[in-house]
């Protein structure tokens, strides 16, 4: 019986396309941020707050990826940012090819930051390089502090963890210190930002970090950063 291993070839093709995306984003001076989380964690609300806070000095675009509907892209446009809605036709993640086509359709010329709001899922999005310069994951307080134990790859591959809905901490049994410790056990270098997009708590620190990484991306001439996704 013949056995054909497909995973390696599929992964290699995706990685080549991801490198192409990074090179193009580098040439344009646009930092692509891959935003990952489970459904309902507050990705779109967080992006809306970021656009409201820094959108006048940082040019932002957002690729909204969902199985169906267009409500998220409409919300982003309502905040005054460029946006495009992508329907993945049942796919539980965005890969590099899908990301490349989406960015081409939206147009990144003149943008400082481009966000890819990946499909809501804590598993598949972490397995595919999209070509982003930054991988950022969101964990909301209502989801619980045990998620680093259950979905380790997402935490291992992310440059930053944004813990959202901190205004609900009095309501939910969520141990912030334990959650952060679990995340950093998996990824000692992960940046952690507890925030509330509703109240604005913690948003300035996150936004300043994003602006800093954006400036680093534009100023960097280290060719290796294009190949490995590190900024």
């Amino acid at each position: 019986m013949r056995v054909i291993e497909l995973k390696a070839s599929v992964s290699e093709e995706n990685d080549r396309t991801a490198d192409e995306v990074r090179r193009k984003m580098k040439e344009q001076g646009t930092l692509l941020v891959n935003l990952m989380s489970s459904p309902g964690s507050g990705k779109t609300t967080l992006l809306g707050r970021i656009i409201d806070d820094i959108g006048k000095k940082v040019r932002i675009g957002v690729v909204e990826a969902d199985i169906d509907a267009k409500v998220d892209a409409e919300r982003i446009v309502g905040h005054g940012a460029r946006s495009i809605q992508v329907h993945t036709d049942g796919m539980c993640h965005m890969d590099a090819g899908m990301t490349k086509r989406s960015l081409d359709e939206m147009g990144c010329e003149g943008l400082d930051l481009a966000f890819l709001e990946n499909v809501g899922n804590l598993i598949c999005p972490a397995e595919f390089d999209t070509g982003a310069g930054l991988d950022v994951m969101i964990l909301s307080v209502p989801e619980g502090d045990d998620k680093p134990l259950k979905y380790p790859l997402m935490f291992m591959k992310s440059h930053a963890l944004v813990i959202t809905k901190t205004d609900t901490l009095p309501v939910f049994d969520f141990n912030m210190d334990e959650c952060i410790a679990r995340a950093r056990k998996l990824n000692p270098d992960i940046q952690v930002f507890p925030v509330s997009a509703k109240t604005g708590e913690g948003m300035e620190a996150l936004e300043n970090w994003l602006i800093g990484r954006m400036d680093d991306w534009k100023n960097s001439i280290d060719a290796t950063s294009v190949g490995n996704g590190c900024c």
Side-chain angles (χ1 to χ4, degrees):
M1 178 185 293
R2 294 183 62 196
V3 177
I4 302 174
E5 297 290 348
L6 294 177
K7 183 176 181 180
S9 61
V10 170
S11 176
E12 288 171 4
E13 177 63 28
N14 185 79
D15 290 347
R16 282 194 293 269
T17 305
D19 286 342
E20 292 176 14
V21 172
R22 265 188 290 274
R23 280 192 293 270
K24 184 174 182 179
M25 293 297 101
K26 176 69 73 171
E27 291 169 0
Q28 293 180 174
T30 305
L31 175 60
L32 175 61
V33 181
N34 179 27
L35 196 60
M36 302 174 287
S37 77
S38 61
S41 64
K43 292 190 296 297
T44 310
T45 300
L46 180 74
L47 287 172
R49 179 73 191 221
I50 290 172
I51 295 165
D52 290 345
D53 288 349
I54 66 173
K56 290 184 178 179
K57 58 182 178 180
V58 176
R59 296 162 296 182
I60 299 173
V62 180
V63 173
E64 289 286 353
D66 287 296
I67 303 298
D68 207 340
K70 58 181 180 178
V71 291
D72 286 349
E74 290 173 343
R75 287 174 61 188
I76 293 299
V77 170
H79 285 279
R82 191 184 309 178
S83 186
I84 186 172
Q85 183 72 57
V86 177
H87 290 162
T88 62
D89 193 27
M91 293 285 286
C92 60
H93 63 274
M94 291 284 284
D95 62 20
M98 297 162 71
T99 301
K100 183 177 184 296
R101 293 193 297 272
S102 302
L103 292 170
D104 289 344
E105 287 292 328
M106 182 178 72
C108 291
E109 298 81 3
L111 294 180
D112 300 305
L113 281 174
F115 288 93
L116 166 61
E117 184 177 330
N118 217 315
V119 182
N121 186 338
L122 284 178
I123 303 173
C124 301
E127 298 176 351
F128 288 84
D129 187 352
T130 61
L134 275 182
D135 290 307
V136 176
M137 70 161 296
I138 291 178
L139 174 66
S140 67
V141 167
E143 293 174 74
D145 54 37
D146 60 351
K147 293 303 176 288
L149 302 176
K150 297 181 178 181
Y151 305 97
L153 183 62
M154 180 74 73
F155 292 84
M156 293 168 65
K157 296 193 69 172
S158 295
H159 295 92
L161 164 63
V162 183
I163 301 176
T164 58
K165 305 184 183 182
T166 56
D167 52 289
T168 67
L169 279 169
V171 181
F172 293 95
D173 184 16
F174 186 97
N175 188 318
M176 182 70 69
D177 292 339
E178 189 68 24
C179 182
I180 294 173
R182 288 167 174 165
R184 286 187 170 148
K185 184 176 181 180
L186 294 167
N187 182 353
D189 296 324
I190 196 169
Q191 300 291 313
V192 182
F193 299 95
V195 305
S196 169
K198 180 178 180 179
T199 68
E201 179 185 8
M203 290 300 302
E204 184 175 5
L206 172 60
E207 290 157 0
N208 287 341
W209 180 77
L210 286 170
I211 291 171
R213 301 295 73 76
M214 178 191 75
D215 291 340
D216 290 345
W217 180 256
K218 289 184 175 183
N219 296 330
S220 173
I221 58 173
D222 182 359
T224 61
S225 68
V226 179
N228 62 22
C230 179
C231 61

